[in-house]
Every structure is written in C-alpha cells, then in structure tokens.
Amino acid sequence: MLPHSRSSAARAPDEPLIFERISAQRGGTEILHAINLSFPAGSRTTLIGPSGAGKSTLLRLLNRLSDPSEGRILLGNIPILSLPVMALRRRIGLVFQTPRPLPGTVADNLAFAHVITGETAERDFAESLIEVGLDPSWLDRDASGLSGGERQRLAIAVALQTGPSILGLDEPTSALDPSAARKVAEALRRRSERDGLTTIAVTHNRDQTPWLGDRTVVLEAGRVVDEGPTLDVLARADESFWLKENGG
C-alpha cells in the first residue's frame, strides 16, 4: 500500500467557468450548438435532457478530453486551451458513469492522483472513504472486486483527493440506492460550501436532481432550452428526460 498523509483542504480559487458560444462535433456531426453558460465558483449545477442531447459531450470539454469546434471556455479570464493539460486536469476533474479502478488496492487508487501531481495527500485516505459512504477498513481491498456503486463512490473519492476547483460528474449516482446517493450528494454539497468546489452533474434521476444541484440546465439536441433554479426547471421538464427505473 502506498503511504499517505493528511493536510487541511485549501479553498478553491474564486473563478467562474464560462462557455462562450461553444459548439462541438463528433464524427463530423455537430453535438453542441453555440452554448453560452456560466458556472460561478462554488455553484452546484445539474444537466438534464433526453439521451443524445450533448450532456456528456459538454462534460468532456471541461478538462479537454475533447475540444470545441467553435467558441471558447474560460476559467476566470483565462482560456483553458492556453493552460497545460495536466495543470488544467488538476483543477478540473471528471468522474464517469462506469469508472474502472486502477490495478491494486483501494488505497493505491486514492494515492494515484498524488503520484501524478507530485503533491502531498490532502487528507487521510480512511476519511476520504467515509466521506463517500465506503468502509474505511477497505483500504487494503483489491479495487477490482468492487461493485458498480462502490466503484462510483471510489472514483469520486479519488477525484476529490487533490482538491479540484471544478468537478464534472456523469451520472455519479446511477448505480447507488437512494440512501447511498443522498450521502454522496451531501458530501459534494459540503465540499462546495467548505472549499468552493463547483460541481456540474449529469443525471437522469428526477428525484436526485435537487440533491445534486441548486441550478439546472436543460439540453435538447445540443442546445440550452431551459435553465434556472432546480425546482422551477423540474416543474417544466418533460417526463421523457427521466429513467423509469434506477439502479441500486
């Protein structure tokens, strides 16, 4: 098991994330069309809409897994294309719907972020597991043996290790039962309040949308068609946006 240490979290910089007329293509097809959005520091936003609306594509633009075909994305007043990719990814993290842990133990996975950045661990690894509802005694457990929901929670714990200023999450609670999903959402909310973490979460679960975001943006066919306070947007949202069954 790799060594770990503990230190206090630093508050994220007070920098908004701004999308200016962002369009994006995949395979020659335009997926996003002239998106204008602003995500204030410490804000909690959910992205909803039908499958194929461009939600996951938007998340991939955050830390340059893909780049826009038009427009620019700013972190504060700095275009993210001007930042070194690894420096950008230390500030903006992504968590995917079906994450695959790295070979090794749960602790090895938590330590890997610090191996990449060369930084000291932000906090005790056991506390990181407790934060997302995992058993702290699992540090020596083989990560490949975790269930889908356990992998999702571990991926969030790993992403939070280096104290990112922005975190994009693609269906982060899709494999969790309501109790576990609520715990994860509360952990993210506390990070936003304490550290100024900005979260942008894709979800198809109507019940969990208010847990994950105070503000909601609706995408359809690659365009923003509605945005505002979450409960107001949900009152207007089409029922076809929501999954009929949710994982446990």
Side-chain angles (χ1 to χ4, degrees):
M1 184 174 71
L2 295 172
H4 54 275
S5 61
R6 183 177 177 179
S7 63
S8 61
R11 186 172 181 84
D14 186 21
E15 297 174 325
L17 180 71
I18 301 167
F19 281 52
E20 291 186 346
R21 295 194 60 78
I22 288 294
S23 296
Q25 296 183 352
R26 187 172 60 223
T29 300
E30 194 166 55
I31 306 299
L32 296 175
H33 310 273
I35 299 291
N36 290 301
L37 287 171
S38 180
F39 303 92
S43 61
R44 302 168 59 247
T45 303
T46 56
L47 302 179
I48 67 171
S51 297
K55 303 182 297 296
S56 296
T57 297
L58 187 150
L59 287 188
R60 290 176 62 85
L61 299 176
L62 296 179
N63 70 359
R64 299 199 57 198
L65 289 178
S66 299
D67 287 329
S69 55
E70 294 182 23
R72 63 178 186 165
I73 302 173
L74 304 172
L75 189 55
N77 60 0
I78 301 172
I80 68 169
L81 289 180
S82 70
L83 297 172
V85 172
M86 290 309 299
L88 176 68
R89 291 176 182 173
R90 284 196 291 270
R91 300 172 72 176
I92 303 179
L94 286 184
V95 176
F96 299 102
Q97 182 177 2
T98 53
R100 296 180 61 183
L102 296 168
T105 66
V106 168
D108 291 334
N109 275 260
L110 289 166
F112 184 73
H114 306 290
V115 172
I116 293 297
T117 64
E119 298 170 349
T120 302
E122 176 191 332
R123 65 192 305 196
D124 185 273
F125 289 172
E127 291 182 0
S128 296
L129 295 185
I130 292 170
E131 181 178 26
V132 296
L134 292 177
D135 192 321
S137 69
W138 288 7
L139 288 173
D140 292 322
R141 186 170 172 178
D142 185 350
S144 66
L146 299 179
S147 71
E150 291 162 354
R151 291 183 178 196
Q152 282 188 322
R153 283 178 282 180
L154 175 60
I156 293 170
V158 169
L160 291 173
Q161 271 298 303
T162 55
S165 55
I166 298 168
L167 189 59
L169 304 118
D170 197 352
E171 300 282 0
T173 56
S174 61
L176 304 181
D177 62 39
S179 176
R182 187 63 177 263
K183 188 174 186 70
V184 165
E186 286 299 304
L188 294 169
R189 179 187 59 77
R190 286 192 298 270
R191 285 285 187 134
S192 292
E193 293 175 351
R194 187 192 73 193
D195 302 335
L197 174 68
T198 302
T199 59
I200 304 168
V202 169
T203 183
H204 283 98
N205 188 310
R206 185 185 183 100
D207 292 340
Q208 294 176 15
T209 301
W211 304 348
L212 292 166
D214 305 308
R215 169 178 170 250
T216 292
V217 172
V218 182
L219 290 178
E220 285 193 70
R223 293 179 170 84
V224 174
V225 297
D226 197 3
E227 61 179 302
T230 293
L231 294 180
D232 293 346
V233 172
L234 291 183
R236 301 187 292 264
D238 193 293
E239 289 298 318
S240 65
F241 295 172
W242 314 113
L243 296 179
K244 300 304 180 184
E245 297 181 2
N246 299 297

